[in-house]
Amino acid sequence: MAVYTDVAADELADFLKQYDLGELLSYKGIAEGVENTNFLLHTSKGSFILTLYEKRVAKNDLPFFLALMTHLAEHGVSCPLPVKARDGEALRELSGRPAAIITFLEGMWPRKPNVAHCAGVGEGLARMHLAGANFAVRRANALSVAGWRPLFDAASGRADEVQPGLRAFLATELDYLSGGVWPTDLPEGVIHADLFNDNVFFLGDRLSGIIDFTFACNDMLAYDVAICLNAWCFEPDHSFNVTKARAFLNAYGRVRKLSEAEQAALPLLARGAAIRFLLTRLVDWLNVPPGALVKPKDPLEYFRKLRFHQSVTSARDYGLMPSGLVA
Ligand SMILES: Nc1ncnc2c1ncn2[C@@H]1O[C@H](COP(=O)(O)OP(=O)(O)OP(=O)(O)O)[C@@H](O)[C@H]1O
Ligand SMILES: N[C@@H](CCO)C(=O)O
């Protein structure tokens, strides 16, 4: 459970006086997520999510995230809307942390994603990419190639405690990916950058909402596709499910066609996406804050995914046909 920062009831009731959200009826820490502290609030005006932004989120970036959610919601993406306080500002401070309240979305994230969920997320991701096209604020991706080396440096000394040989494996892969192969000329835009199954809500098989924009940034759109291939198209035993990948990529391509260059870059982008999550998970695994109610995620899941992508020779291995995406 990710509650790094506790908030007392009277402190929260005081905080809510800045809003027009009625009386606080109840609140509780949310038993999911690893990055930030989240509370579910019930007030006399409805249900809301209160987020206290923690370690990996830079305060300067928060206006970007909040403005992006507002922009996307106004352009047809089902995502939370930041709630403004009476002074017109959504970004505030609580318990010494930057904090914001956002609207509550109905739905459940799929614990066992099926092919229909993968198609839903493909369509939803592409729609989000199109809706973000005219968003004017920019934020660089702090967790792209240049951001991986510091993570490696932070974790490498103890990487072999997690798995013998992991340090050397990561060093070799990092040298390869940062040695000039990483694409620089693919179409860019606003990407979610963390669209895992716990960040996509469904009602049945229908996508009902996308949450958690705290890694959103400007980067290659196809990199977001590669992140989703990693997050959605493997089975619990870590085997790649090409049926899910094909459903995901086809659904994406029906809304926004991937160019030939984007398709060709997918195996490399998928390797980059895999090492990014392997590294952040490794750092978190080795550094659980004392007393924090959080269950760190398994870094070795991404070691296995990375090994798979290293064996991929073309996007055909992801179920793509050379003639294009639309089946
Ligand atoms: N707008 C929302 N509507 C409904 N539930 C929400 C909303 N935002 C967050 N939640 C709930 O809170 C949980 C954690 O939220 P979130 O994924 O944003 O946490 P995080 O720690 O910031 O992220 P993560 O670890 O996924 O990067 C979600 O799984 C969901 O149950
Ligand atoms: N989605 C990330 C955690 C939040 O960044 C992971 O599964 O490693």
Side-chain angles (χ1 to χ4, degrees):
M1 170 167 171
V3 175
Y4 298 97
T5 307
D6 218 347
V7 178
D10 51 353
E11 201 184 351
L12 180 56
D14 259 3
F15 178 74
L16 286 177
K17 287 182 186 150
Q18 302 172 79
Y19 294 83
D20 187 20
L21 289 178
E23 291 295 303
L24 177 63
L25 304 178
S26 66
Y27 76 107
K28 61 176 182 185
I30 292 183
E32 272 155 8
V34 295
E35 295 292 343
N36 299 306
T37 296
N38 289 292
F39 293 96
L40 173 61
L41 312 183
H42 294 295
T43 79
S44 49
K45 296 255 175 109
S47 300
F48 301 89
I49 300 289
L50 165 67
T51 302
L52 276 66
Y53 295 96
E54 303 283 349
K55 52 178 185 166
R56 211 176 261 137
V57 182
K59 193 176 175 190
N60 291 347
D61 287 333
L62 292 172
F64 173 91
F65 304 135
L66 296 172
L68 176 62
M69 282 192 269
T70 305
H71 174 94
L72 293 176
E74 284 170 354
H75 288 77
V77 175
S78 176
C79 68
L81 194 59
V83 178
K84 291 180 177 156
R86 290 204 183 90
D87 64 2
E89 292 298 321
L91 181 57
R92 327 219 47 99
E93 196 172 294
L94 178 60
S95 296
R97 296 276 184 281
I101 293 178
I102 57 175
T103 54
F104 181 86
L105 290 187
E106 298 294 341
M108 292 278 288
W109 61 266
R111 271 60 182 172
K112 293 182 181 167
N114 60 29
V115 174
H117 293 129
C118 293
V121 81
E123 179 183 339
L125 181 71
R127 290 199 185 288
M128 197 204 84
H129 286 168
L130 297 184
N134 57 350
F135 181 61
V137 193
R138 291 188 63 82
R139 174 178 183 260
N141 186 359
L143 291 177
S144 186
V145 197
W148 302 336
R149 180 76 57 187
L151 292 169
F152 173 76
D153 292 342
S156 64
R158 293 177 57 205
D160 286 2
E161 288 173 25
V162 177
Q163 177 169 281
L166 186 57
R167 181 194 169 124
F169 172 85
L170 288 170
T172 306
E173 181 69 6
L174 206 48
D175 285 348
Y176 171 67
L177 292 174
S178 56
V181 294
W182 195 245
T184 52
D185 51 359
L186 297 179
E188 295 200 350
V190 176
I191 68 166
H192 183 286
D194 192 25
L195 200 60
F196 281 55
N197 57 327
D198 55 359
N199 286 332
V200 186
F201 290 175
F202 285 84
L203 288 166
D205 285 341
R206 193 179 60 77
L207 190 154
S208 61
I210 292 178
I211 64 163
D212 193 2
F213 289 82
T214 47
F215 290 98
C217 56
N218 292 85
D219 204 340
M220 293 171 283
L221 299 177
Y223 183 55
D224 230 5
V225 172
I227 289 171
C228 288
L229 272 178
N230 274 290
W232 290 85
C233 303
F234 286 82
E235 295 302 303
D237 67 1
H238 309 297
S239 61
F240 184 69
N241 185 324
V242 74
T243 309
K244 288 182 177 176
R246 187 177 292 121
F248 164 71
L249 291 167
N250 274 337
Y252 183 94
R254 278 191 283 273
V255 178
R256 176 184 175 270
K257 193 174 183 317
L258 286 173
S259 69
E260 295 285 329
E262 288 178 303
Q263 294 182 35
L266 266 188
L268 191 63
L269 296 174
R271 283 170 73 160
I275 202 168
R276 174 263 188 255
F277 287 99
L278 170 44
L279 286 169
T280 46
R281 284 182 174 201
L282 188 60
V283 169
D284 289 350
W285 188 268
L286 295 170
N287 299 286
V288 176
L293 295 165
V294 66
K295 186 172 180 292
K297 297 188 178 180
D298 179 13
L300 294 180
E301 179 187 336
Y302 272 80
F303 167 77
R304 297 188 188 94
K305 290 177 179 179
L306 178 48
R307 290 287 300 271
F308 169 77
H309 296 303
Q310 287 175 331
S311 74
V312 163
T313 52
S314 86
R316 274 196 207 212
D317 296 348
Y318 299 132
L320 272 179
M321 294 297 119
S323 53
L325 278 172
V326 181

